[in-house]
Amino acid sequence: MFYSLLRRFVRIGLHWYAPDLRLKQLELAKYTGPTVVVSNHPNSLFDALVIAAYCPVELRFLTRGDIFKTPVANVLLRGLFQLPIYKKKDDEEYAVKNDFTFDECMRTLAAGKHILIFPEGRSLNTWSLQPFMNGGLTSLLERAYRLDLPLQIQPYRLNYSSFQDVPKSVAISALPTLDTTDYLEDHRIQPAAVIGALRTLLLEGMESQPLLGNALSAKQQRFYKIPAKIGYYTQFWFYRGWRNYIKKKTKDTIFFDSLLFACLLFSYPIFVFFCSFIIGKFFGFWSGLFIFLLLPGTAYCMSRYQKIKTETDLTTTKRNSLK
């Protein structure tokens, strides 16, 4: 229940944050058995949010292990359906800890749930597919075979108009499912063949350039213009405050979208409720209800009305650490 509510909440927020949201071929994702969901990984944790919002099944996410170090973070992240995966540089006992995580993944898959993993292993805010770090996916494939789990691989492809500008265009495309039982030879799974087929699928049709935002028609511009202006003058300061703060905190890193979206997703409803409560307290229930509907409605129009910028800096490499 909690996962379903959280997924719907994220999906609603995405309509404000990425009003040009393109869903392509999602019906190709069948989920007829235990499935490992994979995707290219251009935009840090934001990628997982987009996939989870439009994936029809409950997912568990393999996430970089270094952010699980404190007890509070460990409890919080696991409560948000994330499991740690460690790199050699993160922890001397990375191999042992990863074994525990992969065992947990097998229990999750056997229980009918599904795992999301990014084979590139790291995000660099780029539009090209990076080399795969094959260890995690290979381990899942081999363990599933030993446990006689008929594992499916469900690929998605993501693309963005920008990693540093909001509102944005986002495209998520489902690709044909890979059945790992088609890659058995001499009674053994062939991980290299599965991973090769997966990489070929992801590369086919992959755009190496940012998405171009869909322009509004003249009729749509007239429709959105006045409420967008109301939204701008009443609420843009709220967005701008968060944007400037997050941009400063994430300068030259890959985390701008992830942190900004999370902050807005959870703080904006509080802001709307607070304003509605204050107005309702002084001017009556119906005035408070009017503000409760007016604020998100005009904010949505403002997001739709703004021109979507296309990123022009395609070469600068960003850090995948906030330190």
Side-chain angles (χ1 to χ4, degrees):
M1 176 66 75
F2 175 67
Y3 183 93
S4 179
L5 291 174
L6 187 60
R7 180 174 62 194
R8 291 179 182 275
F9 189 42
V10 170
R11 188 183 296 184
I12 291 171
L14 284 172
H15 285 290
W16 272 255
Y17 197 82
D20 182 17
L21 190 60
R22 309 175 195 180
L23 311 177
K24 302 180 180 181
Q25 305 181 127
L26 297 190
E27 69 280 359
L28 290 179
K30 301 299 185 182
Y31 297 100
T32 56
T35 303
V36 174
V37 179
V38 299
S39 171
N40 60 316
H41 194 23
N43 201 8
S44 185
L45 299 175
F46 194 75
D47 296 334
L49 291 174
V50 173
I51 293 173
Y54 290 97
C55 185
V57 295
E58 186 173 315
L59 297 177
R60 294 294 184 270
F61 312 92
L62 289 183
T63 305
R64 50 190 291 176
D66 59 326
I67 63 175
F68 287 77
K69 286 184 177 179
T70 67
V72 172
N74 184 58
V75 171
L76 177 62
L77 291 168
R78 287 180 179 273
L80 293 173
F81 313 101
Q82 299 184 52
L83 301 172
I85 187 75
Y86 296 90
K87 298 177 183 177
K88 187 175 182 178
K89 65 178 183 179
D90 296 331
D91 196 300
E92 293 181 355
E93 299 180 345
Y94 76 99
V96 174
K97 291 183 176 181
N98 284 345
D99 281 340
F100 282 112
T101 294
F102 293 137
D103 287 343
E104 191 168 350
C105 288
M106 290 301 106
R107 290 192 292 271
T108 297
L109 291 166
K113 297 182 176 63
H114 311 277
I115 301 292
L116 172 63
I117 185 171
F118 295 105
E120 292 167 279
R122 59 177 182 170
S123 177
L124 296 175
N125 278 179
T126 63
W127 279 267
S128 57
L129 190 66
Q130 303 300 307
F132 285 1
M133 297 181 182
N134 295 338
L137 190 51
T138 297
S139 183
L140 291 176
L141 290 168
E142 291 176 343
R143 287 166 184 262
Y145 175 72
R146 289 198 295 269
L147 294 174
D148 200 26
L149 283 176
L151 200 62
Q152 310 289 304
I153 307 292
Q154 178 54 57
Y156 288 88
R157 187 189 297 125
L158 298 170
N159 197 8
Y160 299 87
S161 57
S162 171
F163 303 119
Q164 298 294 317
D165 292 299
V166 182
K168 63 178 71 257
S169 298
V170 177
I172 173 172
S173 306
L175 305 177
T177 306
L178 292 176
D179 186 343
T180 63
T181 61
D182 293 336
Y183 296 87
L184 298 176
E185 186 176 320
D186 296 329
H187 304 290
R188 295 190 63 181
I189 188 71
Q190 302 298 311
V194 176
I195 292 170
L198 170 62
R199 187 172 179 87
T200 298
L201 262 181
L202 288 171
L203 284 171
E204 287 178 355
M206 176 175 280
E207 301 175 26
S208 58
Q209 298 293 323
L211 284 175
L212 296 177
N214 288 327
L216 295 178
S217 67
K219 183 178 180 180
Q220 288 174 316
Q221 289 180 349
R222 289 193 298 270
F223 177 82
Y224 287 118
K225 183 175 181 179
I226 293 177
K229 293 292 184 183
I230 295 172
Y232 180 86
Y233 288 116
T234 58
Q235 299 165 81
F236 187 74
W237 62 271
F238 181 85
Y239 160 73
R240 181 172 54 198
W242 274 119
R243 180 199 63 190
N244 293 346
Y245 175 74
I246 298 298
K247 190 163 279 190
K248 181 180 178 181
K249 289 294 184 180
T250 61
K251 184 179 179 182
D252 299 326
T253 77
I254 61 172
F255 299 107
F256 174 77
D257 267 336
S258 305
L259 291 181
L260 179 60
F261 179 75
C263 290
L264 290 172
L265 183 68
F266 292 105
S267 68
Y268 184 69
I270 296 172
F271 165 74
V272 171
F273 179 80
F274 177 78
C275 292
S276 304
F277 177 80
I278 295 299
I279 295 298
K281 194 76 172 175
F282 284 96
F283 298 101
F285 171 80
W286 293 109
S287 297
L289 180 62
F290 175 74
I291 294 299
F292 184 78
L293 298 175
L294 177 74
L295 291 179
T298 55
Y300 176 76
C301 290
M302 176 179 64
S303 175
R304 291 282 296 170
Y305 186 73
Q306 285 182 282
K307 182 180 180 181
I308 294 176
K309 297 180 181 178
T310 301
E311 192 147 330
T312 56
D313 182 3
L314 308 184
T315 58
T316 301
T317 301
K318 299 182 178 69
R319 293 181 287 111
N320 60 357
S321 171
L322 290 173
K323 297 179 181 179

